[in-house]
Each structure stands twice: as structure tokens, then as C-alpha cells.
């Protein structure tokens, strides 16, 4: 490395390794940066995030506190510490830190999402939505409006008010269509379909998956990008066929998609293909094989965790299943996937 005694070089190296999820190397470089200059604030922030990514939560708190100590008049340190506190389930403390960020900089409106997320996990859904609405009202761009509507929909899923969640996703898709944002239209329809089928409404879910597929076919974009959307749509349709027990149709469709996915070698497509294969084997009663596929799916998704847990349960591994259900219910990283499965996991405990 050139200029190893330059804190900025060490910090940039840490950011690189953090980006590729090589956390031990990221930690090494951020540690070197603060050893060179123990008042280099940004490296303390990143140290906190590295420790969180490594699940070393007890070690993450001090770097975040040091970050605040070094630049107490900026909003971001309070926001970072608030995120740590939220993940730790220290909701009221987290809210105070987000409020401090907003007090310092009223335009630091992402903190409103953080406050809303805290209230979701406190079970105060209406209050959460008032903060998401504030974020919508104060949004500086259309993407922030999409985000506000997204988190509103997520809150309704936790609350098991599925019709309200779908209504918000419809509103978001309409806004996306009006603002030439096709990815949000496809994403909204796909997630609406997922929410509906996971809540037993297969026919209505199918309409949304078909909406996503039809809309994708109407788009004029480069073939590579279009194929990404098409593969996800095709795998969602396979999910539907599995639920309808059209196993012959699923088998044929998955084999065709598998050839394409293996040729393309896009990591997320490979993970989602494995996930759908896992669901397929689960419904065929091959729980060991289901686990093999699911273990090659997205390890960071609570949706994957849930299917792993119910597969472990069916395979007779009740203690392992219980651990995963507890992992789901104790998670404080807000997402639509968590909203879809959290109450189901709670019912298993």
C-alpha cells in the first residue's frame, strides 16, 4: 500500500473492505487510521458499523460514542448511534438520539424514518406512520417519497392490516408510473404479491405477480436490465405454481430458468433461484433437500430465515427451528421481509 501512514488512505482501504464484507480487514484498516490520528472521526463511525456487521455489539457502542464526542455539532454521529441503539432494542434511547440529530439539523430528515422504525418495534404503528408521513411531506426528491410510502406499507404488514398495506403499495406504484420509475412499479407489485400469498390470498397475489410480469414486458430498456426483472418475475410465478401444487409445471419452468441463471452468474439471481427450489422441495416433503437449497439463498433475509426454520421444524430439528424463530422475533432491523414473517415466527414460540 502506498502512503500507509496516511489516515485517509487507511480509511479508504477500510471502506473498500467493508463494501465487500471483508470485516476483519476493514477493522484492521480503520484501527490503523485512528492509531495514526485518534481524533479522526469518520473512522470511529465506520468502526462502529464494522463491529455491528461482525455481531460484536458490545464493542460497537464506544466508537459511536467517540464519534459524537469528536463532532458533537453534526447530526450524523447521533444518527449512527441511534441506529445502533435501535438494533439493540433500546428504543427510547434511540429515539432521543434521532431527535438530537433533527434538533442539530432539521433537514436531516432520514432520522424521521429511524424514529418511525423505533415506534414500529414498540408496537405503536399509528405513531410510526406520523413520522413516515413527515418524511414524505419534507422529502427533497421523489425517491424519498417512495421510501416514505414503503415504510408505511411495512408498518401495516406488521399490524396485519394487509388491505391497507396493499393500498399504500398501489399508491406508490401509481406515483412511480407517473414519475417514470419502472423499477418501483415492478418492486411494488412483486412485494404486494408476496404479502398476499403469505397471508393466504393466492388468487389476489397472482394478479400482482402478473401485473409485474405484464408491466416488465411493456418496458423499453436494455436486454440485460430487462432480463433481471424477467427472471425474478418468472421465479415468483414458480412460487405460485408451487402453492397450487402444479409440480410438473414448476419442474419444467425451474429447469429453464436454472439454465439462464447459471449462464448469467448474477449472485442475487442464484440466491433467489435456490430459495424457490427450497420452497419447492418443502412442499414436496423433502425437508432435508429443502434446507440444502435454502442454505444457498439470501442469508441476510428474514424471509429465508423463516423458511429455514419451518423446514428444520418439519425435519424434526425443533431446537434448531426454535433458535431461528427467536432470531426473527428479536431482530430490530426493519424490512418488509421481517414484517411478513415476524408475527408467524412469534406464533411458533
Amino acid at each position: 500500500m502506498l502512503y500507509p501512514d496516511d489516515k485517509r488512505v487507511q480509511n479508504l482501504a477500510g471502506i473498500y473492505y467493508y463494501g465487500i464484507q471483508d470485516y476483519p480487514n476493514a477493522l484492521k484498516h480503520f484501527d490503523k487510521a485512528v492509531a495514526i490520528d485518534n481524533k479522526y472521526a469518520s473512522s470511529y463511525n465506520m468502526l462502529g458499523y464494522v463491529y455491528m456487521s461482525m455481531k460484536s455489539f458490545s464493542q460497537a457502542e464506544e466508537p459511536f460514542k467517540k464519534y459524537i464526542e469528536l463532532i458533537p455539532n453534526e447530526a450524523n454521529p447521533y444518527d449512527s448511534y441511534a441506529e445502533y441503539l435501535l438494533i439493540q432494542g433500546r428504543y427510547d434511547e434511540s429515539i432521543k438520539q434521532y431527535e438530537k440529530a433533527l434538533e442539530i439539523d432539521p433537514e436531516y430528515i432520514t432520522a424521521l424514518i429511524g424514529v418511525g422504525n423505533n415506534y414500529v418495534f414498540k408496537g405503536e404503528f399509528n405513531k410510526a406512520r406520523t413520522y413516515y408521513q413527515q418524511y414524505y411531506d419534507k422529502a427533497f426528491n421523489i425517491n424519498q417519497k417512495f421510501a416514505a410510502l414503503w415504510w408505511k406499507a411495512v408498518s401495516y404488514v406488521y399490524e396485519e392490516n394487509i388491505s391497507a398495506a396493499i393500498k399504500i403499495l398501489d399508491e406508490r406504484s401509481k406515483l412511480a408510473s407517473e414519475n417514470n420509475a419502472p423499477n418501483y412499479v415492478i418492486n411494488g407489485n412483486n412485494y404486494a404479491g408476496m404479502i398476499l400469498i403469505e397471508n393466504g390470498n393466492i388468487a389476489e397475489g397472482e394478479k400482482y405477480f402478473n401485473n409485474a410480469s405484464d408491466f416488465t414486458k411493456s418496458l423499453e430498456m436494455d436486454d440485460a436490465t430487462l432480463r433481471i426483472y424477467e427472471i425474478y418475475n418468472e421465479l415468483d410465478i414458480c412460487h405460485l405454481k408451487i402453492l397450487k401444487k402444479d409440480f410438473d409445471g414448476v419442474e419444467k419452468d425451474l429447469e429453464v430458468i436454472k439454465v439462464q441463471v447459471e449462464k448469467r452468474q448474477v449472485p442475487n439471481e442464484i440466491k433467489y433461484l435456490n430459495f424457490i427450489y427450497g420452497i419447492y422441495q418443502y412442499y414436496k416433503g423433502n425437508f432435508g433437500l429443502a434446507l440444502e437449497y435454502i442454505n444457498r439463498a439470501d442469508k441476510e433475509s428474514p424471509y429465508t430465515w423463516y423458511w429455514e426454520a419451518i423446514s428444520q421444524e418439519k425435519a424434526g430439528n425443533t431446537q434448531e427451528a426454535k433458535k431461528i424463530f427467536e432470531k426473527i422475533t428479536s431482530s430490530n432491523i426493519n424490512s418488509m421481509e421481517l414484517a411478513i414473517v415476524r408475527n408467524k415466527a412469534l406464533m411458533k414460540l
Side-chain angles (χ1 to χ4, degrees):
M1 175 188 286
L2 297 175
Y3 310 108
D5 295 327
D6 189 323
K7 64 190 177 186
R8 296 165 299 177
V9 171
Q10 293 293 346
N11 192 63
L12 285 170
I15 290 170
Y16 167 76
Y17 284 113
Y18 182 79
I20 62 170
Q21 299 181 342
D22 182 348
Y23 301 125
N25 267 319
L27 186 65
K28 179 177 72 175
H29 288 288
F30 291 129
D31 274 336
K32 284 182 180 177
V34 298
I36 293 166
D37 180 355
N38 65 5
K39 292 184 179 180
Y40 192 48
S42 85
S43 283
Y44 284 105
N45 186 39
M46 291 308 302
L47 276 169
Y49 280 107
V50 171
Y51 281 127
M52 283 207 297
S53 298
M54 296 173 72
K55 312 302 181 189
S56 300
F57 294 107
S58 62
Q59 292 174 279
E61 186 163 12
E62 283 308 310
F64 286 131
K65 286 183 173 180
K66 183 69 174 178
Y67 185 36
I68 291 172
E69 178 188 320
L70 289 170
I71 46 174
N73 296 319
E74 293 188 22
N76 192 65
Y78 300 96
D79 181 85
S80 294
Y81 187 38
E83 185 178 348
Y84 165 80
L85 293 167
L86 168 58
I87 291 170
Q88 288 297 97
R90 293 158 62 180
Y91 307 127
D92 292 334
E93 293 175 73
S94 175
I95 289 167
K96 286 180 181 177
Q97 296 299 317
Y98 279 125
E99 288 175 341
K100 181 68 175 176
L102 285 163
E103 179 186 324
I104 290 170
D105 182 359
E107 293 189 352
Y108 200 90
I109 62 172
T110 54
L112 293 166
I113 297 292
V115 177
N117 290 344
N118 273 286
Y119 280 116
V120 161
F121 288 117
K122 283 166 69 74
E124 298 180 40
F125 302 109
N126 285 331
K127 198 162 188 178
R129 286 188 286 272
T130 65
Y131 284 92
Y132 298 147
Q133 185 61 47
Q134 286 181 49
Y135 184 71
Y136 183 93
D137 294 339
K138 295 180 180 181
F140 296 111
N141 56 59
I142 193 65
N143 287 334
Q144 290 179 335
K145 289 186 181 291
F146 292 145
L149 292 171
W150 177 259
W151 292 117
K152 268 191 177 182
V154 169
S155 73
Y156 279 120
V157 175
Y158 280 112
E159 201 174 12
E160 299 185 329
N161 188 342
I162 302 306
S163 61
I166 300 303
K167 184 178 178 181
I168 294 291
L169 288 175
D170 285 344
E171 180 184 340
R172 181 174 176 268
S173 292
K174 183 174 182 290
L175 185 67
S177 184
E178 292 168 350
N179 286 273
N180 193 29
N183 53 320
Y184 288 103
V185 178
I186 297 166
N187 165 280
N189 278 284
N190 282 336
Y191 271 98
M194 183 193 299
I195 292 162
L196 287 160
I197 66 172
E198 284 292 345
N199 283 274
N201 195 338
I202 295 171
E204 196 65 20
E206 184 170 13
K207 290 180 185 177
Y208 279 91
F209 285 146
N210 287 335
N211 285 346
S213 181
D214 292 343
F215 182 79
T216 300
K217 290 173 185 174
S218 74
L219 295 174
E220 294 183 5
M221 58 174 60
D222 66 276
D223 290 343
T225 304
L226 192 62
R227 192 65 190 129
I228 293 170
Y229 293 134
E230 288 174 343
I231 284 172
Y232 276 89
N233 291 338
E234 288 164 11
L235 287 169
D236 284 335
I237 298 298
C238 285
H239 193 169
L240 277 170
K241 287 185 177 181
I242 293 166
L243 296 178
K244 293 178 175 180
K245 296 188 168 48
D246 178 11
F247 294 150
D248 289 339
V250 171
E251 190 83 44
K252 291 174 185 175
D253 291 347
L254 284 176
E255 285 304 310
V256 172
I257 299 168
K258 181 181 178 184
V259 171
Q260 288 288 316
V261 169
E262 290 182 346
K263 182 179 178 181
R264 289 161 58 82
Q265 286 298 299
V266 178
N268 285 339
E269 290 176 9
I270 293 168
K271 290 175 184 177
Y272 198 44
L273 175 66
N274 278 297
F275 179 72
I276 298 299
Y277 263 115
I279 294 174
Y280 175 50
Q281 294 300 333
Y282 176 92
Y283 274 93
K284 289 188 74 177
N286 302 324
F287 305 117
L289 191 53
L291 284 165
E292 288 182 28
Y293 281 113
I294 289 167
N295 284 330
R296 295 198 290 269
D298 183 1
K299 291 282 193 179
E300 300 301 314
S301 170
Y303 199 46
T304 304
W305 303 344
Y306 180 77
W307 278 93
E308 180 186 2
I310 61 175
S311 297
Q312 291 282 12
E313 188 178 50
K314 288 288 189 180
N317 304 323
T318 54
Q319 288 305 307
E320 185 60 33
K322 184 179 178 183
K323 287 179 187 176
I324 302 168
F325 289 133
E326 288 173 344
K327 177 182 177 181
I328 294 167
T329 58
S330 64
S331 175
N332 292 299
I333 300 175
N334 202 7
S335 70
M336 182 66 84
E337 288 83 357
L338 182 61
I340 290 169
V341 300
R342 197 167 192 251
N343 290 334
K344 291 184 177 188
L346 279 167
M347 291 173 67
K348 292 285 188 177
L349 296 174

